Amino acid sequence: VAEPRWLDEREARIWHAWLAMNRDLQVAMDKQLAEFGLSAAEYAVLVPLSERPDRTLRAGELSRVLGWGRSRLSHQLRRMEGRGLVHRCDLETDGRATMVRITDKACELLAAAAPGHVEAVRRYLIDVVTPAEARAILGLAERVQLAVRSGVPGCAEGG
Amino acid sequence: VAEPRWLDEREARIWHAWLAMNRDLQVAMDKQLAEFGLSAAEYAVLVPLSERPDRTLRAGELSRVLGWGRSRLSHQLRRMEGRGLVHRCDLETDGRATMVRITDKACELLAAAAPGHVEAVRRYLIDVVTPAEARAILGLAERVQLAVRSGVPGCAEGG
DNA sequence: TAAGATTGATATATCAATCTTC
DNA sequence: GAAGATTGATATATCAATCTTA
């Protein structure tokens, strides 16, 4: 294997700025939700449910929307059912499926937390980016995700 | 409380692109390290230790460098000591302090993993950003962290 | 057999409480 | 009491194994 191309000072600065920015942003968003007694995972689960007319989704659908594995969602729903945030019941049409419904209590909690959440998104990101940076984010996101999905770094075939 | 300013379509697209980009990038980086049997947390702990001439750091120093709480580091070190990646011993000068040393085994593991890690950073981010986007990241990171550190969103004092 | 979901084991992350030493 | 560190409890995240139904 050839000598790896280590990061130069500017490249390292970009990488570390990136990591620090995301770490801080995530911590801040978590804290904001915590003021309403909600975790980021709970909020993520509740939002798609609340947007349904019947406040209900199949577990598999929810898993797909969130981009979570079934196992992860199942564990999360168990804890949330214990906290009275969601309710699970069987689907008559298909004995394998599980229906998930957001409770009234969780709906109220979500309605209370959502304005502050959006406010935080604005304060920490949207109000802070210049139009040029916003364009950079949108363009970069596409290319990063393309690189991530196409490239397995363990087997560097071309480089 | 006034009606919250919900995100318009473009703003929501920016926020979701941001979240998806970081989620995918983090998953990809974790997978890369997993090829060498290392987690992101383990890698983060080992790097500062390996950069020391004596391969040693005070736990408190390590905690500061990583930006981790003492408790988090302590739990992590316990698991890593169990795996034979680090060794802990008391400091003679100060009976309260703990010295952490990276093991030979972990040094070799790190040396094996580091090139692929840097390669992944390049492939997924550095090689993908345009110079303008790189400038955007550096500038944005400063402002985002400023906003995060100054603003408590729960009490919107200014409007 | 495969799809949908749950379970158990393990690792990670945070908080409060504790323990030792200064 | 305060600093440095550990511990226990709980929540989160991933993987493999399992269970039920189609």
Side-chain angles (χ1 to χ4, degrees):
Chain A
V1 183
E3 175 69 11
R5 289 155 55 219
W6 302 111
L7 302 181
D8 66 29
E9 196 197 309
R10 176 177 171 77
E11 290 165 342
R13 210 162 60 234
I14 293 170
W15 177 235
H16 289 130
W18 179 277
L19 292 177
M21 168 169 49
N22 284 295
R23 188 171 47 238
D24 290 0
L25 191 50
Q26 188 168 342
V27 167
M29 295 304 299
D30 288 355
K31 273 187 186 161
Q32 192 280 316
L33 286 177
E35 293 178 14
F36 295 87
L38 283 175
S39 69
E42 288 166 341
Y43 188 85
V45 166
L46 294 181
V47 166
L49 291 175
S50 73
E51 286 169 347
R52 287 278 155 164
D54 54 358
R55 299 179 166 185
T56 298
L57 268 175
R58 278 180 64 137
E61 257 299 284
L62 188 50
S63 154
R64 195 187 57 74
V65 167
L66 292 169
W68 291 8
R70 295 178 197 286
S71 167
R72 178 179 178 182
L73 181 60
S74 184
H75 284 303
Q76 187 65 45
L77 290 176
R78 176 178 41 75
R79 290 188 300 265
M80 290 177 73
E81 192 161 33
R83 288 196 53 199
L85 298 176
V86 297
H87 177 69
R88 283 186 287 189
C89 63
D90 293 343
L91 179 59
E92 294 162 3
T93 329
D94 188 338
R96 297 171 300 180
T98 296
M99 296 302 293
V100 187
R101 195 167 67 79
I102 183 176
T103 63
D104 290 349
K105 169 186 167 187
C107 261
E108 290 167 17
L109 209 53
L110 193 59
H117 179 74
V118 173
E119 170 90 8
V121 172
R122 284 197 179 281
R123 179 177 300 221
Y124 297 146
L125 185 68
I126 299 296
D127 288 351
V128 164
V129 298
T130 65
E133 286 165 350
R135 280 193 300 276
I137 289 173
L138 287 171
L140 184 56
E142 255 183 58
R143 270 172 286 127
V144 166
Q145 292 186 70
L146 207 67
V148 163
R149 277 164 202 171
S150 67
V152 181
C155 5
E157 59 277 77
Chain B
V1 182
E3 174 70 11
R5 288 155 55 220
W6 302 111
L7 302 181
D8 65 28
E9 196 196 310
R10 177 178 171 78
E11 290 165 340
R13 212 163 58 234
I14 293 170
W15 176 237
H16 290 130
W18 178 278
L19 292 177
M21 170 169 47
N22 286 293
R23 186 169 51 238
D24 290 0
L25 191 50
Q26 189 168 340
V27 167
M29 296 303 299
D30 289 355
K31 273 187 186 160
Q32 191 281 316
L33 286 176
E35 293 178 14
F36 294 87
L38 284 175
S39 70
E42 289 166 340
Y43 189 85
V45 167
L46 294 180
V47 166
L49 292 175
S50 73
E51 286 169 348
R52 288 276 155 165
D54 54 358
R55 298 179 167 183
T56 299
L57 268 175
R58 276 179 65 135
E61 257 297 284
L62 189 51
S63 153
R64 196 186 56 75
V65 168
L66 292 169
W68 290 9
R70 296 178 196 285
S71 167
R72 177 179 177 183
L73 181 59
S74 184
H75 284 302
Q76 188 65 47
L77 290 176
R78 175 177 43 73
R79 289 188 300 265
M80 290 177 73
E81 192 162 32
R83 287 196 53 197
L85 298 176
V86 297
H87 178 68
R88 282 186 288 188
C89 61
D90 292 345
L91 178 59
E92 295 162 3
T93 328
D94 188 337
R96 296 171 299 181
T98 297
M99 296 301 294
V100 187
R101 195 167 67 79
I102 183 176
T103 62
D104 291 349
K105 170 186 166 187
C107 261
E108 291 167 17
L109 208 54
L110 194 57
H117 179 74
V118 173
E119 169 88 8
V121 172
R122 284 197 178 282
R123 179 177 301 221
Y124 297 147
L125 184 67
I126 300 294
D127 288 351
V128 165
V129 298
T130 66
E133 286 165 350
R135 280 193 300 276
I137 290 173
L138 288 171
L140 183 56
E142 255 183 57
R143 268 172 287 127
V144 167
Q145 293 187 68
L146 206 68
V148 164
R149 277 164 201 168
S150 68
V152 181
C155 3
E157 59 276 78

